[in-house]
Amino acid sequence: MSKTDKTLLWMVLGLLGMALFLGLGAVWLNIERMDLAYDLRKMEQSLGRKEDLAAKLTVERNNLVSPYRLKKLAGRLGLEVAAPGQIRRIASQ
Amino acid sequence: MAKDNTRRTDHSGIKIGFVMALFSIALGALWFRTGWVQLHEGDALAEQASRQSLAAEYEYGERGRILDRNGEMLATSVEAQSVFARPHKIENLDVACDVLSRDLKLSRRDVYRKLKSRKKFVWIKRQITDREAAALTRADLKGVRLTTEHSRIYPNGHLAGQLLGFTDIDGRGREGVEHLFDKLLSPSKAEFVVQRDATGRRLYLDAHGREINVNGKDVRLTIDTHIQHAAEQALANSIAKYDARAGIVLVVDVASGDILAMASEPFFNPNTVRSSDPAQRRLRPLTDIYEPGSTMKPLLFAAAIQEGLISPDTLIDCENGRWRVANKVIRDTHPARWLPAHKVLRYSSNIGTAKIGMELGSGVYYDYLTKLGFGEKTDLGMPGEAVGILRSPGSWTSVDLAAISFGQSIGVTAVQLAKGFLCLANQGATKDLNLILVPEHMRRNASIQVFSPETAATVLKMMEEVVQEDGTGRSARIEGITMAGKTGTAQKASKKGGYGDQYLSSFVALVPAEEPELLVITMIDEPQKSPYGSMVAAPVCREVTVRTLAYHGQLSETLHADATVSAPASALSGASLEKAVPMPVAPSVKDRVPNMQGLPVRRALETLAGMGIVPVLKGQGMTVTRQEPPAGQPWPGNRTKEGTEDVFVLWLS
């Protein structure tokens, strides 16, 4: 086998090896992509659930600090709206 | 043997050729099929494959929120599950009916009827609670599925319910702000492609289509939830106390024209629309027309002063409380003969006011009323606003003119009245009322100078007497602050014709009296236990004003209005003092009580506050004359009991 033929053979083998490597790489990437897609979907759903919960908690918070409830709680603690003459403004030194 | 061997025919070449031919044909057929599938059927098959592996998905945004002026949430949307069924897929009808009726608290007969339906899709119940949804998920019924929708929640219950309005089950605004800004609040829909695996699970493909904001826009009102609550509570107390039919409270910030509270009783909770009736859902300050009565008088006085017909001291014959105009008799509740104009307003004389109105003339007064905005909508933009009843002056008889002068025979809405008085408070120039902060409303914003600033100030001074002197509005007086006000006790037209025995009690308050910052209007419809504005409506105005001022930290420190009035520095700079007075110095805090006699009350308070003591103030004035405990005594032990008699007392003069 001449030197040129040997070089050609190595090149062909190299190309075949590269094709095999790239093919395996493509399969691996595809599997990774699918895994990522599943994870992303799960995270999207989790985010959606958390956003939904946050919205419900915000409503609950607003419900808890609504003036009607605050007034009731304040009444229970003996607090009421300041009457004229009961407010003192203290000047900062 | 060798002969035999040569005689035998060698078929191996043919066999190999045959096998090769077979393989070639098979391979060729495969190549042909591949080519056919790839080149000829390629596009169609690729489309079929993508139909299997790709799916369109829709994302629905949520409806925008409604916020108050401070960003407090008045209306929002949250995700809720809805239950639907595909009746043909139900396996065990009895079990499905039992589970659905038990978990969703529905009648079994209704559920059975729905599940027996021939339709492919039926709603079982929409917008169920999370607990109900969890129970159904656990039950895992075949043919019954959950889907996500957005339901509308109003966290403050009935607070400003009529103003907010409500949405239907499909999320469309039906009344109030929900209806007015339906397009802006409504969410949009985004469509994007997702990948699907063999089991039908959906995968994230790319972000295409997700970058659009599909949520509806927020709307911000000028309403302040705390002031709205104060107004609603004061209104509810008064209505319960006087057994009234309905009531209105409006609070307006004079500087901006912003409506801070718009309360309307009976209340309406938009969370429970189905259990409400139309009378509750009406936004009465805009939709209901009332004959306001004496609360209109200051506007007539302003017109008469502007025209130069009267001054506050012009004497008017009030006919000892009984005066006949054409065939009608006008009566006063405070009979008097000669009264100066400012006392006509202070004691709310109908006869005196009618005489001023007749002097002014129908055409001139009509012009003033139209300039103030009566007889037309206030441009708030809300649905269902009434224009009021203001007939053309040509049709006014002398009795009409007399009656219109003291606020009868004319129909106005509460917001029209607020706009009229906002003009007086705004130095005689009209100003638009605002209800929406965001999005900014394009207003005509054509301000007209109806009265001169001097006229407006004169009328406010006269209205101040109504509250601060012995006028009809003294029950609205707030210690330490001046208020300009006017009561109204209007007879209501009877359904049988003429005036009946029902009344509208009203009160208009402007605080402080000079250069007002706050306008409060109260109307109580058909109070049964007392009809008088001074008894029914004025205390509501007082309570709302006190709570609003307390909320803004603007209540006076002392109980005297005069003490809080401070002269401008420029006025004092040129004046020389008669006697040199040593500057009062706040005593330094030691372990003993310092001497506070002769100190201004403010400095004494600052010293005591430094020790955590809020003293009890006795007497009226700005200087400390006596103190308890006296100077040199140890500090009182229990400093936490604020305002108790024995902690620290300062006598003032």
Side-chain angles (χ1 to χ4, degrees):
Chain A
M1 199 179 274
S2 68
K3 200 179 173 185
T4 319
D5 290 346
K6 269 186 182 173
T7 313
L8 203 66
L9 181 68
W10 279 116
M11 277 178 71
V12 169
L13 286 175
L15 281 173
L16 279 173
M18 202 178 284
L20 186 69
F21 177 76
L22 286 175
L24 286 173
V27 170
W28 178 76
L29 277 177
N30 212 20
I31 292 168
E32 283 295 303
R33 182 183 158 277
M34 292 299 278
D35 279 353
L36 270 177
Y38 277 121
D39 287 351
L40 273 171
R41 187 70 183 180
K42 267 189 219 157
M43 282 192 276
E44 264 187 342
Q45 284 167 347
S46 163
L47 178 69
R49 276 196 300 273
K50 281 180 179 135
E51 278 176 348
D52 182 34
L53 182 67
K56 283 178 183 164
L57 288 174
T58 313
V59 171
E60 188 60 26
R61 179 198 158 275
N62 272 270
N63 222 337
L64 290 173
V65 299
S66 70
Y68 277 94
R69 201 184 109 84
L70 289 184
K71 170 86 180 161
K72 206 193 280 178
L73 283 179
R76 213 178 290 162
L77 297 168
L79 299 169
E80 56 184 36
V81 180
Q86 283 186 324
I87 287 186
R88 297 281 182 276
R89 290 184 203 90
I90 311 299
S92 57
Q93 296 297 313
Chain B
M1 282 295 286
K3 214 177 181 180
D4 287 346
N5 283 345
T6 48
R7 215 182 290 146
R8 216 184 284 167
T9 318
D10 188 2
H11 295 298
S12 57
I14 300 164
K15 284 176 186 171
I16 289 168
F18 181 69
V19 169
M20 280 181 70
L22 270 180
F23 269 92
S24 301
I25 291 166
L27 214 61
L30 269 177
W31 274 105
F32 177 76
R33 180 64 188 157
T34 309
W36 182 261
V37 167
Q38 288 278 344
L39 302 173
H40 187 256
E41 293 182 338
D43 290 345
L45 288 174
E47 199 180 318
Q48 276 183 23
S50 72
R51 213 177 294 156
Q52 272 184 345
S53 64
L54 298 178
E57 199 162 77
Y58 296 98
E59 189 180 326
Y60 297 91
E62 61 186 57
R63 192 174 171 83
R65 298 169 302 168
I66 303 177
L67 309 166
D68 87 336
R69 65 187 296 114
N70 304 315
E72 296 285 335
M73 203 183 282
L74 295 171
T76 188
S77 292
V78 292
E79 272 189 13
Q81 305 283 322
S82 291
V83 193
F84 68 90
R86 299 194 187 280
H88 60 281
K89 287 189 178 174
I90 301 278
E91 281 179 348
N92 191 333
L93 189 63
D94 281 336
V95 172
C97 283
D98 286 342
V99 171
L100 288 173
S101 58
R102 186 193 63 216
D103 289 347
L104 301 177
K105 295 171 194 74
L106 295 171
S107 99
R108 195 179 186 284
R109 195 196 294 173
D110 285 348
V111 176
Y112 184 81
R113 192 171 41 79
K114 283 179 179 172
L115 295 186
K116 281 293 275 182
S117 155
R118 286 184 180 180
K119 290 179 189 167
K120 285 186 176 174
F121 175 100
V122 280
W123 284 116
I124 303 294
K125 191 177 178 185
R126 293 180 75 178
Q127 297 174 4
I128 60 174
T129 63
D130 289 356
R131 203 161 286 163
E132 289 170 338
L136 277 187
T137 311
R138 275 196 304 274
D140 193 22
L141 296 170
K142 203 160 185 210
V144 176
R145 291 185 63 182
L146 292 169
T147 184
T148 302
E149 288 191 301
H150 283 102
S151 71
R152 201 70 169 153
I153 302 274
Y154 302 88
N156 288 296
H158 63 68
L159 191 98
Q162 298 97 342
L163 177 62
L164 298 175
F166 60 92
T167 60
D168 60 14
I169 193 97
D170 294 316
R172 287 187 295 258
R174 286 295 178 215
E175 271 185 33
V177 174
E178 295 276 24
H179 175 69
L180 179 63
F181 289 103
D182 192 38
K183 270 190 184 168
L184 191 80
L185 290 163
S186 292
S188 52
K189 183 175 81 170
E191 183 184 354
F192 47 82
V193 178
V194 289
Q195 201 163 18
R196 207 158 48 166
D197 68 6
T199 55
R201 281 181 299 181
R202 310 212 160 180
L203 310 172
Y204 183 93
L205 191 65
D206 57 28
H208 183 72
R210 288 163 205 254
E211 57 276 354
I212 315 159
N213 185 9
V214 286
N215 292 335
K217 300 263 190 312
D218 291 348
V219 170
R220 187 178 281 230
L221 306 182
T222 58
I223 297 292
D224 187 308
T225 47
H226 291 276
I227 300 173
Q228 177 77 21
H229 169 248
E232 287 188 4
Q233 209 175 37
L235 189 60
N237 290 343
S238 179
I239 284 177
K241 188 176 174 185
Y242 292 100
D243 195 15
R245 196 168 76 95
I248 292 167
V249 172
L250 270 180
V251 183
V252 180
D253 176 55
V254 172
S256 58
D258 289 351
I259 297 174
L260 302 176
M262 190 186 263
S264 177
E265 225 226 271
F267 298 137
F268 159 63
N269 186 349
N271 292 307
T272 54
V273 181
R274 285 185 186 175
S275 59
S276 67
D277 59 64
Q280 287 177 301
R281 297 201 288 264
R282 218 164 61 226
L283 187 56
R284 289 167 193 270
L286 280 108
T287 58
D288 285 17
I289 301 168
Y290 293 107
E291 289 179 77
S294 303
T295 35
M296 283 286 279
K297 284 176 186 168
L299 301 176
L300 175 88
F301 275 69
I305 293 171
Q306 185 65 31
E307 291 296 313
L309 288 176
I310 58 163
S311 73
D313 297 319
T314 306
L315 283 175
I316 293 160
D317 184 1
C318 294
E319 311 280 352
N320 279 328
R322 198 171 188 282
W323 188 46
R324 181 176 286 275
V325 179
N327 57 347
K328 296 274 178 188
V329 176
I330 302 172
R331 290 187 178 84
D332 278 343
T333 48
H334 299 83
R337 184 72 211 222
W338 289 96
L339 285 176
H342 67 98
K343 286 196 175 175
V344 169
L345 188 69
R346 192 197 291 182
Y347 303 128
S348 199
S349 165
N350 289 338
I351 297 168
T353 315
K355 286 192 171 181
I356 295 169
M358 291 173 100
E359 187 80 10
L360 188 66
S362 51
V364 179
Y365 190 38
Y366 178 86
D367 283 347
Y368 276 99
L369 290 175
T370 49
K371 274 190 221 166
L372 288 169
F374 293 100
E376 63 174 33
K377 291 184 182 181
T378 53
D379 197 23
L380 282 171
M382 294 293 288
E385 186 179 351
V387 292
I389 302 167
L390 179 63
R391 290 178 290 129
S392 62
S395 64
W396 296 7
T397 62
S398 57
V399 177
D400 285 336
L401 178 56
I404 290 169
S405 301
F406 52 81
Q408 302 272 178
S409 295
I410 178 173
V412 307
T413 62
V415 281
Q416 283 177 334
L417 201 61
K419 197 177 173 190
F421 277 95
L422 188 60
C423 171
L424 265 188
N426 188 38
Q427 299 192 327
T430 57
K431 183 174 262 195
D432 280 331
L433 293 166
N434 299 317
L435 197 53
I436 314 293
L437 279 183
V438 179
E440 269 189 54
H441 183 34
M442 294 304 287
R443 312 296 297 265
R444 285 172 294 178
N445 211 14
S447 180
I448 310 167
Q449 192 74 40
V450 183
F451 310 115
S452 68
E454 295 75 26
T455 303
T458 309
V459 176
L460 287 176
K461 193 75 196 157
M462 288 162 79
M463 286 174 73
E464 188 183 339
E465 287 179 25
V466 174
V467 180
Q468 303 302 132
E469 304 290 337
D470 59 338
T472 52
R474 55 190 184 277
S475 56
R477 197 181 297 164
I478 300 169
E479 300 86 344
I481 201 153
T482 57
M483 178 193 279
K486 185 70 196 83
T487 55
T489 309
Q491 272 188 295
K492 284 187 74 177
S494 154
K495 283 177 185 168
K496 296 171 191 165
Y499 286 99
D501 56 354
Q502 295 296 332
Y503 292 85
L504 174 86
S505 299
S506 56
F507 192 79
V508 175
L510 291 152
V511 180
E514 282 178 32
E515 296 178 18
E517 293 171 14
L518 207 62
L519 164 65
V520 184
I521 291 182
T522 306
M523 288 177 166
I524 310 283
D525 193 13
E526 297 185 11
Q528 299 303 310
K529 294 180 182 165
S530 168
Y532 299 110
S534 55
M535 274 184 78
V536 182
V540 177
C541 256
R542 184 188 186 278
E543 192 183 337
V544 174
T545 310
V546 165
R547 287 186 64 172
T548 307
L549 293 175
Y551 170 61
H552 286 146
Q554 289 176 325
L555 267 189
S556 171
E557 288 186 32
T558 66
L559 301 180
H560 286 272
D562 297 343
T564 57
V565 176
S566 55
S570 56
L572 296 172
S573 59
S576 60
L577 291 171
E578 287 179 7
K579 198 172 90 176
V581 181
M583 193 179 80
V585 180
S588 59
V589 176
K590 295 172 189 163
D591 54 346
R592 298 270 164 180
V593 173
N595 183 12
M596 293 187 177
Q597 286 181 28
L599 277 183
V601 65
R602 193 183 189 106
R603 287 187 185 277
L605 286 174
E606 281 172 14
T607 309
L608 291 174
M611 293 302 292
I613 293 174
V614 177
V616 174
L617 301 176
K618 291 195 174 176
Q620 299 167 348
M622 296 298 286
T623 315
V624 179
T625 53
R626 197 152 71 84
Q627 68 185 74
E628 181 62 41
Q633 293 285 315
W635 285 102
N638 188 358
R639 294 173 199 163
T640 52
K641 283 190 181 174
E642 218 170 87
T644 48
E645 288 296 322
D646 56 345
V647 174
F648 213 108
V649 189
L650 295 176
W651 280 266
L652 311 175
S653 76

